[in-house]
């Protein structure tokens, strides 16, 4: 089926598949809410599973003694995950329909794997928050919704799963809707919430409409994923181009070629535009733009390209091209929210780290831990300023060189960074610049 689908697309339009919209979404929820089963059902009912995958799942399900085919095995690939029936690490799955391409991040529900949820959700356009219809809105629901809000995921689908275990009761669904709306009203970034009652195990309202819930007149999960608008996620106003590599072939054919390669982080760049190199402040014009598809008149986020300039200006990895009309102000003092990843070393004031921001690495010191967040109540904790594994808090950082940064709210790429332990080279925190 997939072979025929892709062949048909290539016949209709040589670049049809490549030109399709890409939706990245993540699943979140408490333990045993059915996240992996939901994804398995979504892939199974949309005919995105190959026969050998289905046979392997059937064999594994029989060996485990499961009554039905365990669709969660499609994403839970680690041995420990299959033994315990839980999700530990982030699993990514890719599939497509005639309307859109998808990348799914199946994230864990356990509190001790909050850092995995942050990792999986960091690039998502949409979050599916699963709620067990029998349990309603619980602590983990609030935790994952807060993280989705913190990571500026503006579209959330609240999937009330296991409706078959509450006899498809509309009243149960409506109470959960009211409870979630009450909590979400205190969040500032989530602007679009869709509620869908479903049964991932049986398949109601995942791909096909449910016959057991005639009172629900909304879309199925797949239809919503195919049609939700995501065009406003990229920042096409503030032009940002972090330089990743300087291309200097030194060949006879391209003897004088000097191009700056990278991925556009925001805005639009066109040949002839006046640009400024930061942090040096030198100005010039764009001479030409090259890509894998040949010369381009303009590029925009998140396209990759090589830009050549009219003047010979010293620019290297870590520098950034911007336009004169909306330049960020280089700064060495960063105010940010962070999620702490390290289980060995907690974060306290005066900690020294390597800070990686876009393509730039600098040494950094945490000058102050302002407060921690109680994710369940959204209150600040100011009497305990030590960030342990999975804690989220606000810190201030001083860097050894200026950063060309925006707020995370305006640009998720130039507004984010990671902290790296100098001794072990382990990533210890993910930060969102305020």
């Amino acid at each position: 089926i997939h072979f025929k689908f892709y062949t048909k697309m290539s016949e209709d339009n040589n670049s049809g598949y490549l030109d399709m919209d890409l939706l990245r979404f993540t699943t979140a929820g408490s333990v045993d809410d059915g996240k992996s089963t939901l994804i398995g059902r979504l892939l199974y009912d949309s005919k995105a599973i190959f026969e050998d995958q289905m046979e392997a799942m059937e064999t594994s399900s029989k060996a485990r003694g499961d009554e039905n085919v365990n669709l969660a095995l499609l994403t839970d690939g680690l041995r420990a995950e299959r033994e315990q029936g839980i999700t530990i690490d982030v699993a990514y799955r890719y599939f497509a329909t005639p309307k859109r391409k998808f990348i799914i991040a199946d994230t864990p529900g356990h509190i001790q794997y909050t850092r995995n949820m942050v990792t999986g959700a960091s690039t998502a356009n949409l979050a599916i928050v699963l709620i067990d219809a029998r349990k309603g809105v619980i602590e983990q629901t609030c935790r994952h919704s807060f993280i989705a809000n913190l990571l500026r995921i503006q579209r959330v689908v609240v999937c009330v799963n296991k409706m078959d275990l509450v006899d498809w009761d509309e009243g149960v669904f409506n109470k959960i809707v009211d409870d979630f709306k009450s909590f979400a009203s205190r969040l500032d970034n989530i602007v679009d919430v869709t509620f869908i009652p479903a049964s991932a195990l049986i398949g109601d309202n995942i791909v096909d409409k449910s016959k057991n819930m005639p009172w629900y007149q909304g879309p199925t999960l797949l239809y919503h994923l195919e049609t939700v608008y995501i065009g406003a996620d990229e920042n096409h106003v503030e032009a940002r181009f972090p330089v990743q590599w300087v291309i200097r072939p030194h060949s006879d054919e391209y003897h004088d070629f000097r191009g700056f390669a990278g991925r556009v982080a925001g805005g639009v760049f066109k040949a002839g535009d006046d640009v400024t190199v930061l942090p040096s402040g030198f100005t010039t014009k764009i001479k030409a733009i090259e890509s894998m598809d040949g010369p381009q008149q303009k590029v925009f986020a998140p396209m990759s390209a090589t830009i050549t300039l009219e003047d010979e200006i010293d620019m290297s990895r870590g520098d950034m091209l911007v336009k004169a009309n909306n330049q960020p102000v280089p700064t060495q003092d960063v105010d940010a929210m962070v999620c702490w990843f390290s289980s060995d070393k907690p974060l306290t004031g005066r900690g020294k780290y390597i800070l990686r921001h876009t393509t730039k690495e600098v040494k950094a010191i945490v000058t102050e831990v302002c407060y921690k967040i109680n994710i369940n109540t959204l209150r600040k904790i100011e009497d305990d300023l030590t960030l342990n594994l999975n804690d989220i808090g606000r810190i201030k950082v001083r860097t050894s060189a200026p950063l060309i940064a925006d707020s995370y709210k305006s640009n998720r790429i130039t507004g984010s960074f990671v902290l790296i332990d100098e001794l072990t080279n382990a990533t210890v925190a993910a930060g969102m610049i305020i």
Side-chain angles (χ1 to χ4, degrees):
I1 290 174
H2 259 215
F3 176 77
K4 290 180 180 178
F5 165 62
Y6 291 124
T7 303
K8 178 71 165 60
M9 288 201 65
S10 61
E11 290 173 354
D12 293 343
N13 182 354
N14 289 333
S15 61
Y17 178 72
L18 296 176
D19 292 340
M20 289 172 64
D21 274 347
L22 171 64
L23 173 68
R24 299 172 180 264
F25 67 91
T26 181
T27 57
S30 188
V31 182
D32 293 331
D33 279 351
K35 297 179 295 300
S36 299
T37 303
L38 174 81
I39 292 175
R41 173 60 65 183
L42 190 63
L43 298 177
Y44 178 74
D45 285 357
S46 62
K47 307 298 187 293
I49 300 177
F50 295 110
E51 286 187 10
D52 58 337
Q53 291 176 303
M54 191 64 201
E55 290 172 0
M57 279 196 301
E58 290 175 348
T59 303
S60 296
S61 298
K62 289 179 182 179
R64 289 164 49 91
D66 296 330
E67 294 183 7
N68 303 306
V69 176
N70 190 345
L71 295 171
L73 297 178
L74 191 66
T75 54
D76 291 341
L78 300 178
R79 179 180 297 177
E81 293 179 326
R82 296 189 175 214
E83 287 176 352
Q84 301 180 56
I86 63 172
T87 301
I88 296 174
D89 202 0
V90 182
Y92 294 95
R93 288 294 177 269
Y94 312 86
F95 78 107
T97 68
K99 295 182 179 180
R100 184 172 269 173
K101 296 180 295 187
F102 301 94
I103 298 179
I104 313 169
D106 182 23
T107 60
H110 287 66
I111 293 177
Q112 62 262 41
Y113 302 128
T114 297
R115 60 180 177 179
N116 302 65
M117 193 265 178
V118 170
T119 302
S122 61
T123 58
N125 308 109
L126 178 146
I128 300 176
V129 177
L130 262 75
I131 297 178
D132 189 324
R134 300 168 300 173
K135 301 175 183 178
V137 176
I138 58 175
E139 177 181 320
Q140 280 296 80
T141 308
C142 300
R143 171 179 287 267
H144 291 142
S145 300
F146 172 78
I147 293 173
N149 180 77
L150 183 67
L151 292 171
R152 201 171 168 266
I153 301 176
Q154 297 183 314
R155 295 161 198 82
V156 170
V157 175
V158 178
C159 188
V160 183
N161 194 27
K162 302 187 180 182
M163 287 296 295
D164 53 311
L165 300 182
V166 293
D167 297 325
W168 318 103
D169 191 339
E170 182 181 6
V172 172
F173 174 72
N174 289 336
K175 184 180 186 307
I176 292 174
V177 170
D178 292 338
D179 291 344
F180 186 87
K181 284 182 176 179
S182 176
F183 174 79
S185 64
R186 292 180 284 168
L187 305 176
D188 54 359
N189 282 327
I190 296 177
V191 296
D192 181 10
V193 182
T194 301
F195 297 90
I196 300 176
S199 171
L201 183 65
I202 300 174
D204 286 51
N205 283 339
I206 305 300
V207 173
D208 302 313
K209 289 284 289 184
S210 172
K211 296 179 181 179
N212 296 303
M213 293 179 283
W215 44 266
Y216 174 71
Q217 300 299 315
T220 63
L221 178 61
L222 181 61
Y223 179 83
H224 181 74
L225 294 176
E226 286 182 326
T227 57
V228 64
Y229 179 69
I230 58 171
D233 279 8
E234 300 289 351
N235 184 333
H236 293 305
V237 177
E238 298 169 332
R240 306 287 185 263
F241 185 82
V243 176
Q244 184 173 1
W245 195 253
V246 181
I247 298 178
R248 193 79 168 88
H250 295 289
S251 64
D252 292 336
E253 185 179 359
Y254 301 102
H255 186 75
D256 296 320
F257 184 89
R258 188 163 180 258
F260 304 96
R263 175 174 289 180
V264 182
V268 180
F269 289 89
K270 295 180 289 187
D273 279 350
D274 291 314
V275 291
T276 302
V277 179
L278 293 179
S280 66
F282 290 113
T283 59
T284 184
K285 287 181 180 290
I286 294 178
K287 181 179 180 181
I289 301 173
E290 304 286 343
S291 74
M292 289 291 291
D293 299 320
Q296 302 288 330
Q297 285 301 309
K298 65 179 179 180
V299 288
F300 49 86
M303 296 173 65
S304 296
T306 297
I307 293 178
T308 58
L309 305 176
E310 290 188 355
D311 303 302
E312 291 292 337
I313 291 180
D314 180 22
M315 185 164 60
S316 59
R317 178 181 173 87
D319 292 343
M320 188 178 294
L321 274 181
V322 301
K323 287 187 180 179
N325 57 347
N326 52 23
Q327 295 184 25
V329 178
T331 180
Q332 291 180 255
D333 295 299
V334 177
D335 190 354
M337 298 293 296
V338 294
C339 178
W340 195 250
F341 288 174
S342 176
S343 57
D344 302 325
K345 300 178 181 178
L347 171 65
T348 57
R350 314 308 297 177
K352 296 180 180 179
Y353 305 94
I354 295 171
L355 186 148
R356 181 175 295 164
H357 172 262
T358 62
T359 58
K360 191 179 186 69
E361 281 192 5
V362 295
K363 290 187 176 182
I365 183 170
V366 177
T367 57
E368 183 183 356
V369 179
C370 303
Y371 56 80
K372 291 198 297 188
I373 292 286
N374 183 324
I375 295 181
N376 305 313
T377 63
L378 303 185
R379 292 184 178 178
K380 300 175 184 178
I381 302 173
E382 297 179 334
D383 55 350
D384 179 9
L385 298 179
T386 300
L387 296 185
N388 295 298
L389 175 64
N390 297 321
D391 281 343
I392 294 174
R394 183 168 178 171
I395 66 172
K396 292 184 179 180
V397 179
R398 175 80 174 176
T399 59
S400 60
L403 297 183
I404 301 97
D406 297 287
S407 70
Y408 188 80
K409 190 170 185 177
S410 64
N411 192 314
R412 292 174 75 179
I413 299 175
T414 59
S416 60
F417 64 86
V418 293
L419 293 179
I420 300 169
D421 187 284
E422 291 182 302
L423 298 178
T424 64
N425 206 36
T427 300
V428 294
M432 287 69 69
I433 296 171
I434 298 173

